[in-house]
Amino acid sequence: TAGFGTSFCAVCYIFPAVIGTPWCAPIKYVKHGSVSCSAPTGQQHKNVMGTRCKIRCKQGYETQSSEVVCMASRRWSSNYACQEVRCPKLNMPVNGGYKCSDGSYFNSRCEFFCAPGFGLKGQKTTTCQHNKAWSAGVPTCVDMDPPKIKCPNLKDKWAEPGKLTARVTWDTPEGVDTADGILTDVVLKGKPSKSNFPEGLHKLSYTVFDRAGNKGSCRFTVRVRVRRCSQLFAPDNGYMNCDSDGDNYGATCSFKCTGGHELSGSAARVCQYGLTWSGTETKCSPMNINVGVRTAAALLDQFYEKRRLLIISAPTAANHNYRFQMTNLQHAQCGLDLRHVTVIEVVGTYPAQIGRIRHTVLPPGLALQLRLLLRISQRSFQMVLVDKQGTDKQRYPFPITAAELFTTIDTFPLRKDEMVLQQEAGQTCHS
């Protein structure tokens, strides 16, 4: 019995101390939160064993457990402090970064930025929320800035002598990319460097591309100028043929006179660097035929290398072939002048014969010498065509049409400038 009593008293002594005596450290205040405790049997002390305390944290704070219990070990079942909510660590955007006001804690505001040459795609800022989630995702940094390129600055270029173009050279510009520095292509719109540009203003441009497809452009101009002299005009009763553009530096203009006219002044003039024409003014004056010479050879010398001669001989002015031929040639006078042909008439018999070059009358003796020199009969109608070298080219014992005559004349070898002059003169005749 004594042993039993001793054991009972020990239990009686311990039990009241556990049940009614404060056991865990009291929870009077929770920072950033509130606490509400209740003892197991409604006792006065709120920290005896078995006491339960409910913990409530302010928004943005959390605790390990919403309820803690005072255990026999005199410790609360878990940590009851309200700790600030923390969001997961943000990833760093490629080619960029971010700055936060309070790290990854609640209400921390993070602002993203990109490296030079890149732009943000997405939300610029994000905030840590009470649910431990960020208000926006991490944006990306994309290459948005176009590359830059600077075009050459070219001065006006002058055409070379005798040309209407100029060779223009420049160095191909290099583009610069502000992002990753890598360019994929450079495209020129217009003629490339070292090309020949015609007179005038030419607009060109370069376009450069980066890996993101962005492009940058620049524009420049090439102006080619041509030095030009004052405009020349063909002389009266003459023709002008110019090479190149006719009035540019280095151009040459040559002159010829129409039938019955002689050239005075410069037969060719060149546009010089100082924009003046070389030589002197060109004129075409009526051909002065001297019929006061003693011999037929001296008369023909005046036409040598200048004119072709068509000599028409008839025994009398009443000859029907003569009348028909002269009527035919009157309608073809423009064609004769075009081909540099002068008509000489020798009509009658010596000493009553008459020689005539248009309105100029030849002395009878000179007309007789002409017949004898060219072996022309006085008794019948005859025509003789003499070229510029004084060679007897064709004889006609009967009248011919202008077309037949011109066909024979045009078979003579012509220089290139004569062909051009004939073409130009032909247009004048038709007009």
Side-chain angles (χ1 to χ4, degrees), residues 169-330:
T169 303
W170 64 87
D171 294 330
T172 302
E174 295 183 359
V176 177
D177 184 51
T178 56
D180 56 13
I182 299 177
L183 302 175
T184 59
D185 199 9
V186 178
V187 178
L188 168 65
K189 183 179 181 181
K191 286 188 174 183
S193 174
K194 301 180 181 179
S195 296
N196 287 316
F197 287 81
E199 181 182 13
L201 183 67
H202 308 271
K203 297 180 179 180
L204 301 94
S205 66
Y206 274 103
T207 302
V208 61
F209 298 86
D210 62 16
R211 289 198 300 179
N214 301 311
K215 65 179 181 178
S217 300
C218 66
R219 294 174 176 82
F220 65 108
T221 58
V222 169
R223 184 189 298 272
V224 174
R225 298 182 182 273
V226 177
R227 290 183 173 88
R228 295 185 182 275
C229 292
S230 58
Q231 186 176 2
L232 281 183
F233 297 95
D236 292 339
N237 303 307
Y239 312 108
M240 178 177 69
N241 180 33
C242 301
D243 60 13
S244 194
D245 206 30
D247 62 352
N248 57 299
Y249 170 42
T252 300
C253 293
S254 57
F255 303 90
K256 295 286 184 180
C257 295
T258 58
H261 294 81
E262 289 184 306
L263 186 146
S264 62
S266 299
R269 304 183 71 181
V270 180
C271 178
Q272 303 174 107
Y273 181 83
L275 306 186
T276 58
W277 290 98
S278 64
T280 58
E281 183 181 1
T282 305
K283 295 182 179 180
C284 289
S285 305
M287 189 174 180
N288 184 20
I289 303 172
N290 182 12
V291 297
V293 295
R294 295 182 179 181
T295 65
L299 177 67
L300 296 180
D301 282 344
Q302 299 179 63
F303 297 92
Y304 182 65
E305 291 188 348
K306 295 180 182 179
R307 306 283 298 174
R308 297 182 179 91
L309 292 178
L310 180 64
I311 302 171
I312 302 176
S313 174
T316 172
N319 183 277
H320 68 280
N321 285 336
Y322 169 73
R323 294 198 310 269
F324 177 76
Q325 187 67 76
M326 293 308 300
T327 301
N328 193 353
L329 292 181
Q330 285 177 358

